[in-house]
Amino acid sequence: MHRLPMTVLAMPPGALGLVARLAVAKVRVAGLDPAPLLSKAGLSLSQLQDRSVRLEAASQIAFLNLVADALRDEVLGFHLAEAFELREADLLYFVLASSATLGEALARAERYSTITNEGVRLQCRQDSDLRLRYSNVGVARHTDRHQVEFWARALVRICQTLTGTTIRPIRVTFAHPRCGASGELDAFFGCEVAFASEHDDVAFARGASQLRLVNADPYLNELLVRSCDEALSHQARLASSVRVRVENTLAPLLPHGKVHVSEVARALGMSERTLARRLGEEDLTFLAVLEDMRKDLALHYLADASLSISRIAWLLGYQEVSAFNHAFKRWTGQAPTQMRSRITART
């Protein structure tokens, strides 16, 4: 019997929902009802209970942000990765675990990570070190702190489990800024994490790629690789708006003041005219995307008491605090200090 060709449709990135289910469990342990938070994120308990249903990756990110606010947990994703059963990562975990070496396992992670979460793309590089780089696809990176920190910690736990060692990274970088609880990440990773960086990286020493895995099984691995390739062949083509691509290009550039349209167009492989036309098709302009992103980030950063107003201005790409104050008052009608007082009063 011949398999009918699959109709490939443009769809938003999906995820298996592992992180969302862990967050639901944490909400319940805290004595709260997760249903209202799920509803705000466009999700439901029935979706999470059916493991065959893929969630929209953007909705999972939104839910994690809502849970973090409700639990007042600045590093929720990092905490969720502390002790979950690694085999819950499903097919991805088993194809990694049956590989021969750590380098081979991480190369498998690069190829097959989208089976677990289509909104995260991994790149494995083995040069002067063994590095795994995270990139968001089809979802806005600047909204996604908790999922990125979850997978970074989960990755280190997986590497330690698979090799039967206490291996730790030599370098960890995140595109989002440090928060008041980020010292926990420094302690776990065993190095000072670099925040507000251009990339999301976890790097191990070069020799780590040759570490043998304790459960290597070439026969099982060959079978699982075929299963993973089959799963990849049935993935729908992902829909990614130009707005999201611009936002994800801007996110690491903002703290360095590189927010010119020419810089973003070059990074996206377009001319400025083409970028303007593509944004126009979504009824947007470059400046409108930049302003909206700065406003959203400013409101998020103001909720973090460990970030000074001058630091927030820098993170948003303003050379002068006065320029940030002026822009924020234009957006909200209030000064940043006034808004911070209101946010503090609510919490």
Side-chain angles (χ1 to χ4, degrees):
M1 181 175 182
H2 297 288
R3 183 188 298 275
L4 293 175
M6 176 186 176
T7 302
V8 181
L9 303 174
M11 299 178 65
L16 292 181
L18 166 61
V19 193
R21 284 192 292 274
L22 293 172
V24 165
K26 196 169 185 69
V27 169
R28 284 175 166 156
V29 168
L32 301 177
D33 180 4
L37 299 176
L38 286 165
S39 179
K40 285 182 181 179
L43 299 172
S44 67
L45 283 171
S46 61
Q47 283 179 290
L48 293 180
Q49 289 164 352
D50 185 349
R51 294 183 178 238
S52 67
V53 174
R54 294 183 74 86
L55 314 179
E56 284 195 18
S59 295
Q60 177 166 264
I61 292 170
F63 177 60
L64 293 176
N65 289 331
L66 290 166
V67 172
D69 290 342
L71 301 182
R72 300 183 183 181
D73 187 345
E74 295 180 300
V75 289
L76 171 72
F78 177 75
H79 289 152
L80 292 177
E82 180 177 6
F84 80 99
E85 171 54 61
L86 296 177
R87 288 173 294 182
E88 287 193 51
D90 207 68
L91 185 58
L92 177 63
Y93 174 79
F94 292 103
V95 76
L96 302 187
S98 58
S99 299
T101 65
L102 185 60
E104 181 180 288
L106 295 186
R108 298 271 193 263
E110 174 180 9
R111 178 164 176 79
Y112 301 125
S113 65
T114 56
I115 294 173
T116 299
N117 190 324
E118 294 167 341
V120 178
R121 178 173 297 157
L122 303 183
Q123 291 178 296
C124 180
R125 295 293 177 266
Q126 300 184 45
D127 299 314
S128 59
D129 54 27
L130 174 62
R131 183 179 72 248
L132 207 63
R133 174 166 294 174
Y134 296 71
S135 300
N136 285 52
V137 180
V139 293
R141 170 62 182 90
H142 71 279
T143 65
D144 185 8
R145 177 189 200 104
H146 303 293
Q147 190 173 239
V148 171
E149 292 187 355
F150 172 89
W151 284 113
R153 184 173 192 174
L155 168 69
V156 174
R157 285 189 58 213
I158 287 172
C159 290
Q160 292 174 342
T161 300
L162 299 191
T163 61
T165 70
T166 57
I167 184 174
R168 286 187 174 188
I170 58 172
R171 187 177 66 258
V172 178
T173 67
F174 291 124
H176 53 262
R178 180 177 287 272
C179 71
S182 292
E184 292 185 46
L185 279 69
D186 297 333
F188 172 78
F189 292 118
C191 60
E192 185 175 354
V193 178
F195 289 87
S197 299
E198 292 193 22
H199 302 290
D200 298 306
D201 285 354
V202 176
F204 299 94
R206 183 178 183 179
S209 64
Q210 301 305 314
L211 288 173
R212 306 292 297 180
L213 304 193
V214 295
N215 291 315
D217 185 331
Y219 300 102
L220 177 60
N221 191 252
E222 183 179 348
L223 175 64
L224 292 172
V225 164
R226 288 201 299 269
S227 296
C228 287
D229 283 336
E230 177 76 4
L232 281 183
S233 71
H234 286 79
Q235 281 188 338
R237 180 169 59 85
L238 299 182
S240 180
S241 71
V242 179
R243 177 184 191 130
V244 168
R245 293 178 65 195
V246 168
E247 288 176 337
N248 288 346
T249 303
L250 278 171
L253 299 177
L254 277 178
H256 306 281
K258 300 176 182 178
V259 293
H260 303 292
V261 63
S262 58
E263 191 82 20
V264 173
R266 187 181 306 110
L268 292 175
M270 305 179 189
S271 66
E272 292 182 40
R273 179 176 294 182
T274 299
L275 178 57
R277 177 174 57 79
R278 296 284 301 278
L279 284 170
E281 292 170 358
E282 297 180 14
D283 295 322
L284 293 167
T285 66
F286 176 77
L287 287 179
V289 174
L290 175 60
E291 288 277 282
D292 285 349
M293 185 174 176
R294 277 174 157 167
K295 178 184 175 182
D296 290 345
L297 284 171
L299 292 170
H300 177 72
Y301 293 157
L302 286 170
D304 185 349
S306 70
L307 293 175
S308 66
I309 299 299
S310 60
R311 175 70 174 173
I312 292 173
W314 178 80
L315 289 169
L316 297 178
Y318 291 101
Q319 295 183 348
E320 303 290 339
V321 175
S322 59
F324 167 55
N325 288 337
H326 178 76
F328 192 84
K329 195 163 187 179
R330 186 177 72 252
W331 301 330
T332 66
Q334 299 180 59
T337 50
Q338 292 175 301
M339 180 61 74
R340 170 164 274 174
S341 296
R342 288 185 58 189
I343 293 172
T344 302
R346 288 202 299 267
T347 59

